[in-house]
PDB file of all heavy atoms in Angstrom:
ATOM      1  N   ASN A   1       0.831  -1.211   0.000  1.00 91.00           N
ATOM      2  CA  ASN A   1       0.000   0.000   0.000  1.00 91.00           C
ATOM      3  C   ASN A   1       0.864   1.260   0.000  1.00 91.00           C
ATOM      4  O   ASN A   1       0.591   2.218   0.728  1.00 91.00           O
ATOM      5  CB  ASN A   1      -0.949   0.008   1.196  1.00 91.00           C
ATOM      6  CG  ASN A   1      -1.986  -1.085   1.118  1.00 91.00           C
ATOM      7  OD1 ASN A   1      -2.519  -1.370   0.050  1.00 91.00           O
ATOM      8  ND2 ASN A   1      -2.289  -1.705   2.254  1.00 91.00           N
ATOM      9  N   THR A   2       1.886   1.248  -0.827  1.00 95.00           N
ATOM     10  CA  THR A   2       2.849   2.330  -0.828  1.00 95.00           C
ATOM     11  C   THR A   2       3.070   2.882  -2.229  1.00 95.00           C
ATOM     12  O   THR A   2       3.210   2.127  -3.188  1.00 95.00           O
ATOM     13  CB  THR A   2       4.186   1.864  -0.242  1.00 95.00           C
ATOM     14  OG1 THR A   2       3.978   1.377   1.085  1.00 95.00           O
ATOM     15  CG2 THR A   2       5.179   3.016  -0.181  1.00 95.00           C
ATOM     16  N   LEU A   3       3.116   4.188  -2.317  1.00 96.00           N
ATOM     17  CA  LEU A   3       3.406   4.918  -3.543  1.00 96.00           C
ATOM     18  C   LEU A   3       4.778   5.557  -3.405  1.00 96.00           C
ATOM     19  O   LEU A   3       5.134   6.053  -2.337  1.00 96.00           O
ATOM     20  CB  LEU A   3       2.347   5.994  -3.774  1.00 96.00           C
ATOM     21  CG  LEU A   3       2.525   6.906  -4.989  1.00 96.00           C
ATOM     22  CD1 LEU A   3       2.212   6.137  -6.267  1.00 96.00           C
ATOM     23  CD2 LEU A   3       1.625   8.130  -4.864  1.00 96.00           C
ATOM     24  N   TYR A   4       5.530   5.568  -4.488  1.00 98.00           N
ATOM     25  CA  TYR A   4       6.865   6.134  -4.476  1.00 98.00           C
ATOM     26  C   TYR A   4       7.021   7.184  -5.571  1.00 98.00           C
ATOM     27  O   TYR A   4       6.350   7.145  -6.603  1.00 98.00           O
ATOM     28  CB  TYR A   4       7.921   5.051  -4.702  1.00 98.00           C
ATOM     29  CG  TYR A   4       7.871   3.916  -3.727  1.00 98.00           C
ATOM     30  CD1 TYR A   4       7.231   2.729  -4.059  1.00 98.00           C
ATOM     31  CD2 TYR A   4       8.469   4.022  -2.476  1.00 98.00           C
ATOM     32  CE1 TYR A   4       7.188   1.672  -3.173  1.00 98.00           C
ATOM     33  CE2 TYR A   4       8.425   2.973  -1.581  1.00 98.00           C
ATOM     34  CZ  TYR A   4       7.790   1.800  -1.928  1.00 98.00           C
ATOM     35  OH  TYR A   4       7.747   0.747  -1.043  1.00 98.00           O
ATOM     36  N   LEU A   5       7.925   8.106  -5.336  1.00 98.00           N
ATOM     37  CA  LEU A   5       8.340   9.041  -6.364  1.00 98.00           C
ATOM     38  C   LEU A   5       9.850   9.183  -6.278  1.00 98.00           C
ATOM     39  O   LEU A   5      10.366   9.797  -5.343  1.00 98.00           O
ATOM     40  CB  LEU A   5       7.662  10.405  -6.204  1.00 98.00           C
ATOM     41  CG  LEU A   5       7.943  11.403  -7.331  1.00 98.00           C
ATOM     42  CD1 LEU A   5       7.304  10.919  -8.638  1.00 98.00           C
ATOM     43  CD2 LEU A   5       7.424  12.793  -6.980  1.00 98.00           C
ATOM     44  N   GLN A   6      10.529   8.597  -7.238  1.00 98.00           N
ATOM     45  CA  GLN A   6      11.972   8.739  -7.321  1.00 98.00           C
ATOM     46  C   GLN A   6      12.275   9.995  -8.113  1.00 98.00           C
ATOM     47  O   GLN A   6      11.873  10.111  -9.272  1.00 98.00           O
ATOM     48  CB  GLN A   6      12.598   7.520  -7.997  1.00 98.00           C
ATOM     49  CG  GLN A   6      14.108   7.599  -8.152  1.00 98.00           C
ATOM     50  CD  GLN A   6      14.831   7.599  -6.826  1.00 98.00           C
ATOM     51  OE1 GLN A   6      14.549   6.768  -5.975  1.00 98.00           O
ATOM     52  NE2 GLN A   6      15.756   8.528  -6.641  1.00 98.00           N
ATOM     53  N   MET A   7      12.972  10.921  -7.508  1.00 98.00           N
ATOM     54  CA  MET A   7      13.268  12.199  -8.121  1.00 98.00           C
ATOM     55  C   MET A   7      14.775  12.324  -8.299  1.00 98.00           C
ATOM     56  O   MET A   7      15.520  12.354  -7.322  1.00 98.00           O
ATOM     57  CB  MET A   7      12.732  13.353  -7.271  1.00 98.00           C
ATOM     58  CG  MET A   7      11.241  13.252  -6.975  1.00 98.00           C
ATOM     59  SD  MET A   7      10.625  14.683  -6.055  1.00 98.00           S
ATOM     60  CE  MET A   7      11.489  14.440  -4.499  1.00 98.00           C
ATOM     61  N   ASN A   8      15.195  12.381  -9.535  1.00 98.00           N
ATOM     62  CA  ASN A   8      16.603  12.517  -9.862  1.00 98.00           C
ATOM     63  C   ASN A   8      16.850  13.842 -10.570  1.00 98.00           C
ATOM     64  O   ASN A   8      15.934  14.464 -11.088  1.00 98.00           O
ATOM     65  CB  ASN A   8      17.063  11.362 -10.756  1.00 98.00           C
ATOM     66  CG  ASN A   8      16.936  10.017 -10.096  1.00 98.00           C
ATOM     67  OD1 ASN A   8      17.134   9.869  -8.892  1.00 98.00           O
ATOM     68  ND2 ASN A   8      16.622   8.997 -10.896  1.00 98.00           N
ATOM     69  N   SER A   9      18.101  14.238 -10.603  1.00 98.00           N
ATOM     70  CA  SER A   9      18.493  15.481 -11.267  1.00 98.00           C
ATOM     71  C   SER A   9      17.617  16.643 -10.832  1.00 98.00           C
ATOM     72  O   SER A   9      17.116  17.417 -11.651  1.00 98.00           O
ATOM     73  CB  SER A   9      18.439  15.308 -12.793  1.00 98.00           C
ATOM     74  OG  SER A   9      19.294  14.269 -13.218  1.00 98.00           O
ATOM     75  N   LEU A  10      17.431  16.758  -9.543  1.00 98.00           N
ATOM     76  CA  LEU A  10      16.543  17.784  -9.009  1.00 98.00           C
ATOM     77  C   LEU A  10      17.061  19.182  -9.303  1.00 98.00           C
ATOM     78  O   LEU A  10      18.272  19.424  -9.318  1.00 98.00           O
ATOM     79  CB  LEU A  10      16.366  17.590  -7.512  1.00 98.00           C
ATOM     80  CG  LEU A  10      15.416  16.453  -7.134  1.00 98.00           C
ATOM     81  CD1 LEU A  10      15.613  16.047  -5.685  1.00 98.00           C
ATOM     82  CD2 LEU A  10      13.971  16.882  -7.374  1.00 98.00           C
ATOM     83  N   LYS A  11      16.124  20.076  -9.536  1.00 98.00           N
ATOM     84  CA  LYS A  11      16.403  21.461  -9.854  1.00 98.00           C
ATOM     85  C   LYS A  11      15.753  22.356  -8.811  1.00 98.00           C
ATOM     86  O   LYS A  11      14.771  21.963  -8.183  1.00 98.00           O
ATOM     87  CB  LYS A  11      15.856  21.813 -11.241  1.00 98.00           C
ATOM     88  CG  LYS A  11      16.327  20.914 -12.364  1.00 98.00           C
ATOM     89  CD  LYS A  11      15.604  21.253 -13.654  1.00 98.00           C
ATOM     90  CE  LYS A  11      16.040  20.347 -14.793  1.00 98.00           C
ATOM     91  NZ  LYS A  11      15.312  20.665 -16.046  1.00 98.00           N
ATOM     92  N   PRO A  12      16.250  23.568  -8.643  1.00 98.00           N
ATOM     93  CA  PRO A  12      15.611  24.495  -7.706  1.00 98.00           C
ATOM     94  C   PRO A  12      14.123  24.691  -7.983  1.00 98.00           C
ATOM     95  O   PRO A  12      13.350  24.872  -7.035  1.00 98.00           O
ATOM     96  CB  PRO A  12      16.403  25.790  -7.899  1.00 98.00           C
ATOM     97  CG  PRO A  12      17.757  25.329  -8.308  1.00 98.00           C
ATOM     98  CD  PRO A  12      17.498  24.129  -9.190  1.00 98.00           C
ATOM     99  N   GLU A  13      13.720  24.650  -9.231  1.00 97.00           N
ATOM    100  CA  GLU A  13      12.318  24.821  -9.562  1.00 97.00           C
ATOM    101  C   GLU A  13      11.442  23.646  -9.136  1.00 97.00           C
ATOM    102  O   GLU A  13      10.211  23.718  -9.221  1.00 97.00           O
ATOM    103  CB  GLU A  13      12.127  25.095 -11.064  1.00 97.00           C
ATOM    104  CG  GLU A  13      12.849  24.120 -11.968  1.00 97.00           C
ATOM    105  CD  GLU A  13      14.194  24.640 -12.430  1.00 97.00           C
ATOM    106  OE1 GLU A  13      14.954  25.181 -11.594  1.00 97.00           O
ATOM    107  OE2 GLU A  13      14.493  24.520 -13.635  1.00 97.00           O
ATOM    108  N   ASP A  14      12.059  22.564  -8.686  1.00 98.00           N
ATOM    109  CA  ASP A  14      11.301  21.447  -8.133  1.00 98.00           C
ATOM    110  C   ASP A  14      10.914  21.689  -6.684  1.00 98.00           C
ATOM    111  O   ASP A  14      10.166  20.899  -6.105  1.00 98.00           O
ATOM    112  CB  ASP A  14      12.098  20.148  -8.227  1.00 98.00           C
ATOM    113  CG  ASP A  14      12.329  19.702  -9.660  1.00 98.00           C
ATOM    114  OD1 ASP A  14      11.387  19.782 -10.470  1.00 98.00           O
ATOM    115  OD2 ASP A  14      13.460  19.272  -9.964  1.00 98.00           O
ATOM    116  N   THR A  15      11.436  22.735  -6.095  1.00 98.00           N
ATOM    117  CA  THR A  15      11.124  23.062  -4.710  1.00 98.00           C
ATOM    118  C   THR A  15       9.625  23.275  -4.551  1.00 98.00           C
ATOM    119  O   THR A  15       9.028  24.101  -5.233  1.00 98.00           O
ATOM    120  CB  THR A  15      11.887  24.307  -4.262  1.00 98.00           C
ATOM    121  OG1 THR A  15      13.291  24.039  -4.281  1.00 98.00           O
ATOM    122  CG2 THR A  15      11.478  24.720  -2.854  1.00 98.00           C
ATOM    123  N   ALA A  16       9.028  22.524  -3.653  1.00 98.00           N
ATOM    124  CA  ALA A  16       7.585  22.584  -3.454  1.00 98.00           C
ATOM    125  C   ALA A  16       7.208  21.668  -2.310  1.00 98.00           C
ATOM    126  O   ALA A  16       8.017  20.867  -1.839  1.00 98.00           O
ATOM    127  CB  ALA A  16       6.845  22.153  -4.730  1.00 98.00           C
ATOM    128  N   VAL A  17       5.969  21.797  -1.881  1.00 98.00           N
ATOM    129  CA  VAL A  17       5.393  20.795  -0.999  1.00 98.00           C
ATOM    130  C   VAL A  17       4.779  19.725  -1.890  1.00 98.00           C
ATOM    131  O   VAL A  17       3.995  20.034  -2.785  1.00 98.00           O
ATOM    132  CB  VAL A  17       4.325  21.392  -0.069  1.00 98.00           C
ATOM    133  CG1 VAL A  17       3.685  20.298   0.779  1.00 98.00           C
ATOM    134  CG2 VAL A  17       4.945  22.453   0.825  1.00 98.00           C
ATOM    135  N   TYR A  18       5.144  18.501  -1.649  1.00 98.00           N
ATOM    136  CA  TYR A  18       4.653  17.387  -2.439  1.00 98.00           C
ATOM    137  C   TYR A  18       3.586  16.633  -1.664  1.00 98.00           C
ATOM    138  O   TYR A  18       3.790  16.259  -0.511  1.00 98.00           O
ATOM    139  CB  TYR A  18       5.803  16.443  -2.808  1.00 98.00           C
ATOM    140  CG  TYR A  18       6.683  16.993  -3.898  1.00 98.00           C
ATOM    141  CD1 TYR A  18       7.540  18.061  -3.657  1.00 98.00           C
ATOM    142  CD2 TYR A  18       6.648  16.453  -5.187  1.00 98.00           C
ATOM    143  CE1 TYR A  18       8.332  18.587  -4.659  1.00 98.00           C
ATOM    144  CE2 TYR A  18       7.443  16.968  -6.193  1.00 98.00           C
ATOM    145  CZ  TYR A  18       8.283  18.032  -5.928  1.00 98.00           C
ATOM    146  OH  TYR A  18       9.077  18.538  -6.934  1.00 98.00           O
ATOM    147  N   TYR A  19       2.456  16.424  -2.315  1.00 98.00           N
ATOM    148  CA  TYR A  19       1.315  15.769  -1.700  1.00 98.00           C
ATOM    149  C   TYR A  19       1.000  14.460  -2.395  1.00 98.00           C
ATOM    150  O   TYR A  19       0.979  14.383  -3.623  1.00 98.00           O
ATOM    151  CB  TYR A  19       0.067  16.654  -1.779  1.00 98.00           C
ATOM    152  CG  TYR A  19       0.185  17.974  -1.075  1.00 98.00           C
ATOM    153  CD1 TYR A  19       0.615  19.107  -1.750  1.00 98.00           C
ATOM    154  CD2 TYR A  19      -0.159  18.095   0.270  1.00 98.00           C
ATOM    155  CE1 TYR A  19       0.718  20.331  -1.110  1.00 98.00           C
ATOM    156  CE2 TYR A  19      -0.063  19.318   0.915  1.00 98.00           C
ATOM    157  CZ  TYR A  19       0.372  20.428   0.218  1.00 98.00           C
ATOM    158  OH  TYR A  19       0.461  21.637   0.857  1.00 98.00           O
ATOM    159  N   CYS A  20       0.735  13.468  -1.610  1.00 98.00           N
ATOM    160  CA  CYS A  20       0.243  12.196  -2.107  1.00 98.00           C
ATOM    161  C   CYS A  20      -1.275  12.234  -2.127  1.00 98.00           C
ATOM    162  O   CYS A  20      -1.901  12.765  -1.206  1.00 98.00           O
ATOM    163  CB  CYS A  20       0.744  11.071  -1.194  1.00 98.00           C
ATOM    164  SG  CYS A  20       0.104   9.433  -1.544  1.00 98.00           S
ATOM    165  N   ALA A  21      -1.873  11.683  -3.165  1.00 97.00           N
ATOM    166  CA  ALA A  21      -3.317  11.663  -3.278  1.00 97.00           C
ATOM    167  C   ALA A  21      -3.788  10.298  -3.762  1.00 97.00           C
ATOM    168  O   ALA A  21      -3.081   9.615  -4.510  1.00 97.00           O
ATOM    169  CB  ALA A  21      -3.805  12.749  -4.241  1.00 97.00           C
ATOM    170  N   ALA A  22      -4.980   9.921  -3.349  1.00 95.00           N
ATOM    171  CA  ALA A  22      -5.558   8.643  -3.751  1.00 95.00           C
ATOM    172  C   ALA A  22      -7.031   8.808  -4.077  1.00 95.00           C
ATOM    173  O   ALA A  22      -7.739   9.586  -3.435  1.00 95.00           O
ATOM    174  CB  ALA A  22      -5.383   7.599  -2.648  1.00 95.00           C
ATOM    175  N   ARG A  23      -7.465   8.090  -5.081  1.00 94.00           N
ATOM    176  CA  ARG A  23      -8.877   8.057  -5.465  1.00 94.00           C
ATOM    177  C   ARG A  23      -9.338   6.613  -5.415  1.00 94.00           C
ATOM    178  O   ARG A  23      -8.828   5.761  -6.163  1.00 94.00           O
ATOM    179  CB  ARG A  23      -9.084   8.636  -6.865  1.00 94.00           C
ATOM    180  CG  ARG A  23     -10.523   8.570  -7.355  1.00 94.00           C
ATOM    181  CD  ARG A  23     -10.625   9.026  -8.797  1.00 94.00           C
ATOM    182  NE  ARG A  23     -11.888   8.650  -9.401  1.00 94.00           N
ATOM    183  CZ  ARG A  23     -12.916   9.470  -9.603  1.00 94.00           C
ATOM    184  NH1 ARG A  23     -12.807  10.758  -9.263  1.00 94.00           N
ATOM    185  NH2 ARG A  23     -14.031   9.034 -10.152  1.00 94.00           N
ATOM    186  N   ASP A  24     -10.271   6.342  -4.544  1.00 91.00           N
ATOM    187  CA  ASP A  24     -10.733   4.982  -4.315  1.00 91.00           C
ATOM    188  C   ASP A  24     -11.577   4.485  -5.480  1.00 91.00           C
ATOM    189  O   ASP A  24     -12.171   5.268  -6.234  1.00 91.00           O
ATOM    190  CB  ASP A  24     -11.528   4.918  -3.012  1.00 91.00           C
ATOM    191  CG  ASP A  24     -11.567   3.528  -2.412  1.00 91.00           C
ATOM    192  OD1 ASP A  24     -10.939   2.605  -2.960  1.00 91.00           O
ATOM    193  OD2 ASP A  24     -12.240   3.362  -1.371  1.00 91.00           O
ATOM    194  N   LEU A  25     -11.625   3.176  -5.617  1.00 90.00           N
ATOM    195  CA  LEU A  25     -12.436   2.509  -6.632  1.00 90.00           C
ATOM    196  C   LEU A  25     -12.140   3.035  -8.028  1.00 90.00           C
ATOM    197  O   LEU A  25     -13.045   3.236  -8.840  1.00 90.00           O
ATOM    198  CB  LEU A  25     -13.927   2.656  -6.296  1.00 90.00           C
ATOM    199  CG  LEU A  25     -14.359   2.099  -4.935  1.00 90.00           C
ATOM    200  CD1 LEU A  25     -15.811   2.438  -4.658  1.00 90.00           C
ATOM    201  CD2 LEU A  25     -14.138   0.591  -4.894  1.00 90.00           C
ATOM    202  N   THR A  26     -10.883   3.248  -8.319  1.00 92.00           N
ATOM    203  CA  THR A  26     -10.455   3.799  -9.595  1.00 92.00           C
ATOM    204  C   THR A  26      -9.224   3.057 -10.077  1.00 92.00           C
ATOM    205  O   THR A  26      -8.245   2.923  -9.333  1.00 92.00           O
ATOM    206  CB  THR A  26     -10.137   5.290  -9.474  1.00 92.00           C
ATOM    207  OG1 THR A  26     -11.276   5.980  -8.945  1.00 92.00           O
ATOM    208  CG2 THR A  26      -9.776   5.873 -10.831  1.00 92.00           C
ATOM    209  N   ILE A  27      -9.246   2.623 -11.317  1.00 90.00           N
ATOM    210  CA  ILE A  27      -8.107   1.908 -11.861  1.00 90.00           C
ATOM    211  C   ILE A  27      -7.350   2.728 -12.897  1.00 90.00           C
ATOM    212  O   ILE A  27      -6.210   2.403 -13.227  1.00 90.00           O
ATOM    213  CB  ILE A  27      -8.516   0.554 -12.482  1.00 90.00           C
ATOM    214  CG1 ILE A  27      -9.514   0.761 -13.631  1.00 90.00           C
ATOM    215  CG2 ILE A  27      -9.108  -0.348 -11.415  1.00 90.00           C
ATOM    216  CD1 ILE A  27      -9.830  -0.523 -14.387  1.00 90.00           C
ATOM    217  N   ARG A  28      -7.956   3.795 -13.398  1.00 94.00           N
ATOM    218  CA  ARG A  28      -7.340   4.610 -14.432  1.00 94.00           C
ATOM    219  C   ARG A  28      -6.406   5.658 -13.844  1.00 94.00           C
ATOM    220  O   ARG A  28      -6.407   5.917 -12.643  1.00 94.00           O
ATOM    221  CB  ARG A  28      -8.425   5.304 -15.261  1.00 94.00           C
ATOM    222  CG  ARG A  28      -9.281   6.257 -14.449  1.00 94.00           C
ATOM    223  CD  ARG A  28     -10.394   6.851 -15.284  1.00 94.00           C
ATOM    224  NE  ARG A  28     -11.342   7.586 -14.458  1.00 94.00           N
ATOM    225  CZ  ARG A  28     -11.229   8.866 -14.141  1.00 94.00           C
ATOM    226  NH1 ARG A  28     -10.208   9.571 -14.590  1.00 94.00           N
ATOM    227  NH2 ARG A  28     -12.141   9.444 -13.381  1.00 94.00           N
ATOM    228  N   VAL A  29      -5.624   6.275 -14.705  1.00 96.00           N
ATOM    229  CA  VAL A  29      -4.772   7.380 -14.301  1.00 96.00           C
ATOM    230  C   VAL A  29      -5.633   8.630 -14.145  1.00 96.00           C
ATOM    231  O   VAL A  29      -6.434   8.965 -15.018  1.00 96.00           O
ATOM    232  CB  VAL A  29      -3.660   7.636 -15.333  1.00 96.00           C
ATOM    233  CG1 VAL A  29      -2.880   8.898 -14.982  1.00 96.00           C
ATOM    234  CG2 VAL A  29      -2.725   6.434 -15.411  1.00 96.00           C
ATOM    235  N   VAL A  30      -5.481   9.326 -13.033  1.00 97.00           N
ATOM    236  CA  VAL A  30      -6.225  10.542 -12.751  1.00 97.00           C
ATOM    237  C   VAL A  30      -5.236  11.657 -12.459  1.00 97.00           C
ATOM    238  O   VAL A  30      -4.352  11.498 -11.612  1.00 97.00           O
ATOM    239  CB  VAL A  30      -7.181  10.360 -11.563  1.00 97.00           C
ATOM    240  CG1 VAL A  30      -7.889  11.668 -11.229  1.00 97.00           C
ATOM    241  CG2 VAL A  30      -8.186   9.261 -11.857  1.00 97.00           C
ATOM    242  N   THR A  31      -5.398  12.786 -13.138  1.00 97.00           N
ATOM    243  CA  THR A  31      -4.474  13.901 -12.977  1.00 97.00           C
ATOM    244  C   THR A  31      -5.123  15.159 -12.429  1.00 97.00           C
ATOM    245  O   THR A  31      -4.422  16.123 -12.125  1.00 97.00           O
ATOM    246  CB  THR A  31      -3.800  14.244 -14.309  1.00 97.00           C
ATOM    247  OG1 THR A  31      -4.794  14.614 -15.281  1.00 97.00           O
ATOM    248  CG2 THR A  31      -3.018  13.043 -14.844  1.00 97.00           C
ATOM    249  N   ARG A  32      -6.434  15.172 -12.298  1.00 97.00           N
ATOM    250  CA  ARG A  32      -7.138  16.334 -11.786  1.00 97.00           C
ATOM    251  C   ARG A  32      -7.255  16.250 -10.266  1.00 97.00           C
ATOM    252  O   ARG A  32      -7.789  15.275  -9.735  1.00 97.00           O
ATOM    253  CB  ARG A  32      -8.530  16.424 -12.420  1.00 97.00           C
ATOM    254  CG  ARG A  32      -9.238  17.735 -12.192  1.00 97.00           C
ATOM    255  CD  ARG A  32     -10.655  17.674 -12.732  1.00 97.00           C
ATOM    256  NE  ARG A  32     -10.694  17.409 -14.149  1.00 97.00           N
ATOM    257  CZ  ARG A  32     -10.689  18.344 -15.088  1.00 97.00           C
ATOM    258  NH1 ARG A  32     -10.657  19.634 -14.756  1.00 97.00           N
ATOM    259  NH2 ARG A  32     -10.718  18.004 -16.369  1.00 97.00           N
ATOM    260  N   ASP A  33      -6.786  17.271  -9.577  1.00 96.00           N
ATOM    261  CA  ASP A  33      -6.770  17.216  -8.118  1.00 96.00           C
ATOM    262  C   ASP A  33      -8.165  17.117  -7.520  1.00 96.00           C
ATOM    263  O   ASP A  33      -8.357  16.473  -6.484  1.00 96.00           O
ATOM    264  CB  ASP A  33      -6.000  18.394  -7.522  1.00 96.00           C
ATOM    265  CG  ASP A  33      -6.500  19.750  -8.002  1.00 96.00           C
ATOM    266  OD1 ASP A  33      -7.473  19.810  -8.777  1.00 96.00           O
ATOM    267  OD2 ASP A  33      -5.897  20.763  -7.591  1.00 96.00           O
ATOM    268  N   SER A  34      -9.147  17.721  -8.180  1.00 97.00           N
ATOM    269  CA  SER A  34     -10.509  17.703  -7.658  1.00 97.00           C
ATOM    270  C   SER A  34     -11.136  16.318  -7.683  1.00 97.00           C
ATOM    271  O   SER A  34     -12.152  16.093  -7.032  1.00 97.00           O
ATOM    272  CB  SER A  34     -11.391  18.678  -8.437  1.00 97.00           C
ATOM    273  OG  SER A  34     -11.484  18.314  -9.799  1.00 97.00           O
TER     274      SER A  34
END
């Protein structure tokens, strides 16, 4: 039950708060935060 994000070659513009999100009962890729 774990999600990973491997981040390489990081740049200053990658600076941010990173949030994990989950949508239940969904098998497709979802990119809209709402």
Side-chain angles (χ1 to χ4, degrees):
N1 294 320
T2 302
L3 177 73
Y4 304 98
L5 186 67
Q6 179 65 49
M7 305 183 293
N8 298 325
S9 301
L10 283 163
K11 306 174 181 179
E13 50 264 45
D14 294 317
T15 296
V17 177
Y18 285 71
Y19 299 92
C20 174
R23 177 186 165 103
D24 203 3
L25 302 174
T26 304
I27 60 173
R28 62 184 170 88
V29 173
V30 177
T31 60
R32 192 186 300 270
D33 54 2
S34 62

